[in-house]
Amino acid sequence: MQHKLLFTLLFLLGGLQLSFSQNKQAEFGIVLRPIFESDAFRTGPIKAINDDLILTIRQKSGFAYGAIIRYGLTKSLYFEGGLTITTRNISLNVIDEEYDYNIDSDFKFLTYELPVNVMTKVPIRDNFFVTAAAGFVFDFLPSDLETFTPDGSFYHRTFYKSWIQGAVSANMGLEYATKNAGSIYIGASFHQPFTDLTITRIETQKRINNREEEHTIFTNIAGSYLTFDVRYFFPENKKAPSLNK
């Protein structure tokens, strides 16, 4: 169901591009975003302790890419939408002091993001603009994740609270626009879901005196991220000359 929704969104995005391309105020572009770890923006390490278990989760470097449509509402105010695919790389460290475990595990999960932003674009000198945008984002989450050891002594599952969630986003940057070669944008973005995106569950097991003993711990992953943005907006389509006299 989620993949069908993604293809539908891509189809709608393409349709919007074709319809907006006839308007001189419309722009179509692509975006690349490396994701950074930051304690100040809730993307730093997460630590949870339960009985003899110590769980540390780190959101390492990640990456996002996608397409953007920008449509002029006024001279300096724009609607901004599109579709972005975001990959978060996560590392787990689990210490079980009773069982003398120290386990590392890496995984990653995808989200599909559909932003709806309002953007302002202010000229500062010839061909240079400062831009700022803020708005709402629909986060689509495709599947749960599992990792485990063959002997069953370690089991990890990260599962989504809901396959669609809401978030707020903001970005700010500097844009250089040319008449015939398009525009280049460099800036930063922050993405903050309304609730934590996922729940992570860890189990450790060990046979002691012919009986199985198990330790379990839960924690949440917020899903916030800070990115460095690079965007390129294609030059406006030139209308073909009319053949009618």
Side-chain angles (χ1 to χ4, degrees), residues 170-201:
N171 61 69
M172 187 171 185
L174 181 67
E175 187 170 321
Y176 174 71
T178 67
K179 185 175 181 180
N180 298 317
S183 303
I184 292 288
Y185 167 101
I186 297 175
S189 293
F190 178 62
H191 181 96
Q192 174 64 64
F194 291 137
T195 62
D196 293 338
L197 281 186
T198 68
I199 300 172
T200 293
R201 182 174 187 263

Side-chain angles (χ1 to χ4, degrees), residues 5-234:
L5 178 59
L6 175 62
F7 290 134
T8 301
L9 292 174
L10 288 170
F11 176 78
L12 292 175
L13 190 62
L16 285 172
Q17 178 195 358
L18 291 175
S19 62
F20 285 165
S21 64
Q22 303 302 318
N23 190 309
K24 291 184 179 181
Q25 292 179 308
E27 300 172 86
F28 177 77
I30 55 176
V31 57
L32 302 175
R33 292 175 174 169
I35 296 175
F36 300 102
E37 182 183 52
S38 171
D39 289 326
F41 294 96
R42 295 188 68 203
T43 62
I46 302 167
K47 194 169 186 177
I49 300 175
N50 182 30
D51 296 328
D52 294 302
L53 281 185
I54 302 173
L55 169 63
T56 303
I57 296 177
R58 298 180 67 94
Q59 178 173 295
K60 302 188 298 183
S61 61
F63 196 77
Y65 62 93
I68 301 174
I69 288 177
R70 185 188 286 174
Y71 183 73
L73 302 174
T74 68
K75 186 175 181 180
S76 60
L77 197 64
Y78 292 76
F79 162 81
E80 194 175 74
L83 180 66
T84 304
I85 300 174
T86 300
T87 301
R88 294 170 174 84
N89 293 308
I90 309 294
S91 69
L92 299 176
N93 175 254
V94 181
I95 298 174
D96 192 321
E97 296 180 336
E98 181 181 357
Y99 300 162
D100 195 26
Y101 285 168
N102 191 332
I103 300 174
D104 293 308
S105 180
D106 295 331
F107 68 96
K108 58 185 176 182
F109 65 87
L110 300 178
T111 56
Y112 305 120
E113 300 172 9
L114 185 67
V116 181
N117 293 332
V118 174
M119 187 205 77
T120 184
K121 185 175 178 180
V122 180
I124 54 174
R125 57 174 299 177
D126 292 345
N127 298 331
F128 284 93
F129 300 84
V130 170
T131 73
F136 182 81
V137 184
F138 295 96
D139 285 339
F140 298 91
L141 314 172
S143 61
D144 299 338
L145 299 162
E146 292 180 318
T147 56
F148 52 87
T149 55
D151 62 2
S153 61
F154 169 81
Y155 173 78
H156 149 250
R157 183 184 178 207
T158 293
F159 53 95
Y160 302 115
K161 292 185 174 181
S162 172
W163 72 274
I164 178 171
Q165 296 190 39
V168 291
S169 67
N171 61 69
M172 187 171 185
L174 181 67
E175 187 170 321
Y176 174 71
T178 67
K179 185 175 181 180
N180 298 317
S183 303
I184 292 288
Y185 167 101
I186 297 175
S189 293
F190 178 62
H191 181 96
Q192 174 64 64
F194 291 137
T195 62
D196 293 338
L197 281 186
T198 68
I199 300 172
T200 293
R201 182 174 187 263
I202 301 293
E203 294 179 7
T204 60
Q205 293 183 352
K206 191 170 185 179
R207 179 173 290 275
I208 300 177
N209 297 326
N210 294 321
R211 75 176 188 273
E212 294 286 346
E213 291 194 8
E214 179 181 295
H215 291 159
T216 304
I217 191 170
F218 292 84
T219 192
N220 294 341
I221 298 178
S224 305
Y225 63 74
L226 179 69
T227 70
F228 173 74
D229 285 20
V230 178
R231 303 180 181 183
Y232 172 71
F233 290 93
F234 296 97

